Amino acid sequence: MEEPEVPTEGRKPPDANDRAGDGDYLASFEESLPQTLDMERWANGLELEAIMRAFREQIGGSMRKEDKLRATIRQELLPLLKTRSQASKGAGVYHATEAQLKAVHEGHLFRGNVEAVYGSAVSHGTQALGITQLGIAAVGYGGSSGTFSQRLFRKDVTLQMDVPFKQAHEHIDRREPHSCQVLWSKDGLPRQAKRGIRTYAERAILVERLQAEWRMGLGNPLAYELITGFGYRGLMDASLEMLGNLIERHQKFVFVTDKLEHRGFLSLGHSLNTGEYAILETLEAYGEEILDGWHYDNEGLQKARAFVERYCPQVVMGLYRASNNSPPQLFYAHQEHVHFAVRVAMADSILLPEQGFPMLLDVAAMTCQSVFGEDGFQELVKDAQAEQPATPKEARRA
């Protein structure tokens, strides 16, 4: 996906005669890489006064640069959102009013008409047995901002592990390539499969098991691992059918990312004022990138292409900012409901003004980690192991 250009005033391009990357490092950090690596230039101990003085200077300079960059983006780049070639229908910058957000609070959020899901996967493995616990928490409000309704879903996947012996044998015979694409986790379940199943489960619970009018999820609804299946045809087929139902039948959804690392989107997002949101583009280009980059077989490619061409144009992505004290958030919604969808996300996010992230997703994450977290799961495993009868050898030791 093409990253929007940002002004590069004050930065010099790296010299072609410099070592690879060193010139760019100098331009970015205003000192050379050898200077950074020179231990003689590092301070001894904590000189608090000097640290705070440098900190104030850096923060002040950064804020001045950000204000200038922000003004430039608002004046020159945000107006172009409507006319750029990838722009979706209705692309541009909008403002959600206090009255609109209050209406979402009273009419939808606190009435329980919005539910959010969050999933986790934890594992335990030995040479003989691998267990993965998949947990999903679904959370909605129970009448006010301080009360919640919760539903929990759990699935255990157990694998009898003959694979390690097979892999060791193949390694000795040198039949296994050094760069194997399948990464095995400690429970014996391929890491990609675990990630794909968890991502699928989050969306499938949201589509098939929840009753609220509006559904909220984490990340891109059309996740890469679902459109590709990570090489598992069963996962891809089930995912495309389920996501088709989400987009075509349900439509009233909003997904929000928990990390925004795209530098172009960050710059655009930070230029927004409190209560503003920008509609950017559909997921057509994103879908085409997946089709071009993943090695499908012929049948898989036909199915994935049909899905991308039919459904990616119906999903749009955008940015919103719930507070000037919080970072911008990237969201995804159906083309026909995008304005109300982002108000749902924003209305929930202003309840966490310092984070600017939907409270329902935050509570769902905490619930999931509390109920299905690593510590609790490992305690269950230890309890189960303690209840097993001792082997003759262990009995003699006792």
Side-chain angles (χ1 to χ4, degrees):
M1 188 172 297
E2 183 179 353
E3 180 172 342
E5 295 183 358
V6 293
T8 56
E9 182 178 357
R11 293 184 59 182
K12 298 179 181 180
D15 191 328
N17 294 322
D18 284 343
R19 295 188 182 96
D22 284 8
D24 189 54
Y25 186 94
L26 175 62
S28 299
F29 298 100
E30 298 182 350
E31 71 174 14
S32 69
L33 185 54
Q35 286 176 321
T36 301
L37 301 179
D38 182 0
M39 294 296 104
E40 294 297 326
R41 297 171 61 89
W42 288 47
N44 292 321
L46 297 177
E47 300 176 7
L48 187 57
E49 184 176 345
I51 290 174
M52 293 307 299
R53 182 171 61 252
F55 186 74
R56 286 192 297 269
E57 292 174 354
Q58 292 170 3
I59 291 295
S62 173
M63 292 180 65
R64 287 190 293 272
K65 290 180 181 179
E66 285 185 4
D67 288 343
K68 185 175 181 180
L69 174 62
R70 189 170 182 272
T72 301
I73 291 175
R74 289 188 66 85
Q75 181 179 355
E76 298 183 11
L77 296 186
L78 291 185
L80 299 180
L81 293 178
K82 297 180 179 180
T83 58
R84 59 196 292 259
S85 59
Q86 302 97 327
S88 63
K89 181 179 68 175
V93 178
Y94 301 86
H95 185 267
T97 67
E98 181 180 349
Q100 289 172 332
L101 298 181
K102 183 177 180 181
V104 172
H105 282 147
E106 297 177 352
H108 287 80
L109 278 172
F110 300 152
R111 289 178 179 268
N113 291 335
V114 182
E115 287 185 285
V117 297
Y118 185 94
S120 70
V122 294
S123 301
H124 172 81
T126 66
Q127 286 297 314
L129 181 69
I131 304 173
T132 292
Q133 174 188 266
L134 298 158
I136 307 292
V139 175
Y141 288 102
S144 70
S145 60
T147 58
F148 302 91
S149 62
Q150 301 175 352
R151 300 171 64 189
L152 303 174
F153 305 86
R154 172 180 167 175
K155 172 69 175 178
D156 292 337
V157 180
T158 304
L159 179 68
Q160 302 296 329
M161 302 225 309
D162 61 341
V163 176
F165 176 83
K166 178 181 177 182
Q167 288 184 318
H169 188 271
E170 289 179 347
H171 179 74
I172 291 175
D173 287 348
R174 297 194 178 277
R175 293 201 301 265
E176 181 183 19
H178 291 292
S179 58
C180 183
Q181 291 185 348
V182 178
L183 301 177
W184 294 85
S185 61
K186 61 183 179 181
D187 63 331
L189 186 67
R191 296 176 187 175
Q192 293 177 336
K194 184 194 301 185
R195 174 180 162 186
I197 293 171
R198 184 192 65 195
T199 304
Y200 171 86
E202 287 179 340
R203 286 147 182 78
I205 292 292
L206 185 147
V207 173
E208 300 169 8
R209 302 294 296 274
L210 303 188
Q211 301 300 321
E213 179 183 2
W214 279 87
R215 321 287 169 87
M216 185 182 295
L218 183 70
N220 186 335
L222 309 186
Y224 179 89
E225 54 265 37
L226 301 185
I227 296 181
T228 63
F230 272 157
Y232 296 90
R233 173 56 63 80
L235 175 60
M236 188 189 83
D237 289 347
S239 297
L240 298 186
E241 181 179 358
M242 178 269 296
L243 292 174
N245 290 333
L246 171 68
I247 297 169
E248 200 155 78
R249 298 182 183 179
H250 188 71
Q251 298 188 359
K252 294 184 178 180
F253 62 84
V254 60
F255 281 69
V256 182
T257 61
D258 59 346
K259 294 180 182 178
L260 181 53
E261 299 176 345
H262 191 292
R263 294 293 298 275
F265 288 161
L266 272 172
S267 297
L268 287 172
H270 278 292
S271 73
L272 298 174
N273 293 323
T274 297
E276 285 186 335
Y277 60 94
I279 299 175
L280 302 175
E281 60 189 66
T282 70
L283 296 188
E284 291 178 82
Y286 163 80
E288 289 297 328
E289 287 182 3
I290 293 178
L291 296 179
D292 292 341
W294 184 260
H295 297 292
Y296 294 94
D297 59 25
N298 290 334
E299 182 182 359
L301 180 59
Q302 291 178 0
K303 290 183 176 181
R305 182 171 298 282
F307 177 88
V308 165
E309 292 176 351
R310 180 172 180 176
Y311 294 112
C312 283
Q314 299 183 50
V315 181
V316 297
M317 65 178 177
L319 296 159
Y320 73 85
R321 200 167 186 195
S323 165
N324 282 339
N325 296 324
S326 65
Q329 306 293 346
L330 186 67
F331 74 92
Y332 302 85
H334 194 280
Q335 175 80 68
E336 299 301 319
H337 302 279
V338 59
H339 291 284
F340 197 88
V342 67
R343 291 173 199 162
V344 169
M346 194 180 299
D348 201 26
S349 297
I350 63 176
L351 302 177
L352 293 174
E354 298 304 318
Q355 298 180 36
F357 185 74
M359 179 174 279
L360 284 179
L361 282 176
D362 191 62
V363 173
M366 290 189 292
T367 301
C368 200
Q369 291 163 3
S370 174
V371 178
F372 302 116
E374 181 79 24
D375 292 341
F377 177 69
Q378 295 300 338
E379 287 299 321
L380 288 176
V381 171
K382 290 179 181 178
D383 290 343
Q385 290 174 333
E387 294 176 0
Q388 298 303 309
T391 64
K393 184 176 182 180
E394 291 172 337
R396 288 196 300 270
R397 289 178 178 175

